[in-house]
Amino acid sequence: MTDHPLDRVIWNAFTTRQAHVALVDGGAFRVHPDVGIFAATADHAPESLAALGRLVQAHPGEVGVVERFDLPPVPGTQVTKRAVLNQMVAQTLARPKPVDFEIQPLGDADSPQMVALAALTAPGPFFSRTHELGDFVGVKVDGQLVAMAGERLQPEGFTEVSGVCAHPDHRGKGYAATLMLHVAGRIVDRGETPFLHSFADNAGAIALYEALGFRFRCEQILTMLAPQ
C-alpha cells in the first residue's frame, strides 16, 4: 500500500469526497451499481478480501478494482478481465482552439442520451447515475447529444477526466479534444490536478492525451470481478 492519492485512487476517492455513493462492508466497498463499477479494499487482509467478495455477490454487475499491483484472490469471485492501464496526469494543458459550437452543461435530464452515447462509443462503463460523479458537458446537434466529457474519480486534490466520446457520425470536428480541455481547465481553475486512465495498448488515445498536455505517471492494474 502506498501514500500517493493516485496510487490507490478508487479507495481514496470513495472514502473521502465521493463516499456517498459507496456501499460498504467492513474493510471493503463497491460503488452503487447505478453509478459505476468500482470497488476497493482497505488492505489485502483476509477479512477485507472476504468483505469484497460478499459485496460482489450481493449486488448486480461486475466490479473493477484498480491498483498499482495485482489483486490477491477474492473469495467467492472470479476474474473476468485483467488489463494494464496508463495513469496520466496533466502538466501544462494545451491551449484550446477556437470553435464554432456550444459547450452545454449536462444533467439528470440528459442521462438517457449520455448512456446511449456511451453504449455506442464505449468510453468506459456508464450507467444511469454515472453523471452524478462530477460535472459533465457536451455538444448537441438538433437537440441530440453527439459528444461529451466529464469528471469521475475525485481523490483529494485531483479529479479524473472521463466519459470522453463522440458519435461516429460527428467525429473529426474537434469535439472530444475541446471538451476534454474544457473539463480539465475547470479542474485546474479549482486548484486541482486533472488526470485520466487509458488502456496501455490504446496508442491513438494516448497520443491525443499527450497532445493535450497529459503525461504518463504510472501503470495501474484493472481487475474485473464477477460472482463465482
Side-chain angles (χ1 to χ4, degrees), residues 97-135:
K97 297 180 181 179
V99 296
D100 59 358
F101 52 85
E102 179 184 2
I103 297 176
Q104 301 183 34
L106 302 177
D108 291 345
D110 300 295
S111 177
Q113 287 200 46
M114 299 169 78
V115 171
L117 182 61
L120 178 66
T121 57
F126 204 97
F127 306 100
S128 60
R129 293 178 53 204
T130 299
H131 65 282
E132 296 178 13
L133 291 174
D135 294 332

Side-chain angles (χ1 to χ4, degrees), residues 101-204:
F101 52 85
E102 179 184 2
I103 297 176
Q104 301 183 34
L106 302 177
D108 291 345
D110 300 295
S111 177
Q113 287 200 46
M114 299 169 78
V115 171
L117 182 61
L120 178 66
T121 57
F126 204 97
F127 306 100
S128 60
R129 293 178 53 204
T130 299
H131 65 282
E132 296 178 13
L133 291 174
D135 294 332
F136 277 78
V137 293
V139 177
K140 295 182 179 180
V141 175
D142 297 328
Q144 183 67 35
L145 183 67
V146 299
M148 68 175 181
E151 302 170 349
R152 189 168 61 176
L153 304 177
Q154 297 190 39
E156 294 290 349
F158 298 84
T159 294
E160 182 188 27
V161 180
S162 185
V164 182
C165 55
H167 193 286
D169 295 341
H170 295 271
R171 289 175 179 163
K173 301 178 181 180
Y175 291 158
T178 299
L179 292 175
M180 282 190 67
L181 287 175
H182 180 86
V183 171
R186 294 201 306 191
I187 294 169
V188 171
D189 290 344
R190 296 201 302 259
E192 301 174 4
T193 300
F195 73 101
L196 55 79
H197 292 97
S198 172
F199 287 109
D201 59 359
N202 192 343

